[in-house]
Amino acid sequence: MKNYTITVNGNVYDVVVEEGASAGASVAAPRAAAAPAVPKAAAPKAAGGAGSVKIEAGAAGKVFKVEAKVGQTVKPGDPVVILEAMKMEIPVVAPQAGTVASIDVAVGDNVEAGAVLATMN
């Protein structure tokens, strides 16, 4: 992780940027205020066994909607979970064709970048 200090319209922000293979998220907080902690995602909500293909969050956010169900057949690019981040809805899609094995989050859960949202076979 790298720390940066950025000034925008006279406001000074300390920014932490995660580095890695997957797309990371940056967290900005004004210097004068402490950044609130983001709760971890809850335990898996659906049974069905973990699949061999993980569907991970590309950015930190809040689970807005769960589009797929356990046992549902999906094609590459089909939305599985919709995240809300920075007032945008971000679809997290199936990377390949298969069957959803588990949904590991629920609507309203806060997740971090790289968190496993679902698995598929």
Side-chain angles (χ1 to χ4, degrees), residues 42-88:
K45 301 288 191 250
S52 58
V53 179
K54 294 179 183 177
I55 300 173
E56 299 177 343
K62 186 174 188 176
V63 177
F64 179 72
K65 187 175 183 182
V66 177
E67 291 279 339
K69 293 181 174 66
V70 173
Q72 179 178 337
T73 301
V74 293
K75 298 178 294 204
D78 283 352
V80 178
V81 174
I82 307 291
L83 294 180
E84 180 181 33
M86 299 186 314
K87 297 184 182 181
M88 295 186 302

Side-chain angles (χ1 to χ4, degrees), residues 16-26 56-61 83 85 90 92 111-115:
V16 178
V17 180
E18 293 183 30
E19 296 179 312
S22 64
S26 61
E56 299 177 343
L83 294 180
I90 303 168
V92 180
V111 296
E112 296 183 21

Side-chain angles (χ1 to χ4, degrees), residues 1-54:
M1 292 200 291
K2 289 190 176 186
N3 295 318
Y4 297 95
T5 300
I6 299 174
T7 304
V8 178
N9 295 331
N11 295 320
V12 179
Y13 296 91
D14 288 326
V15 181
V16 178
V17 180
E18 293 183 30
E19 296 179 312
S22 64
S26 61
V27 178
R31 270 193 179 180
V38 177
K40 298 278 185 191
K45 301 288 191 250
S52 58
V53 179
K54 294 179 183 177

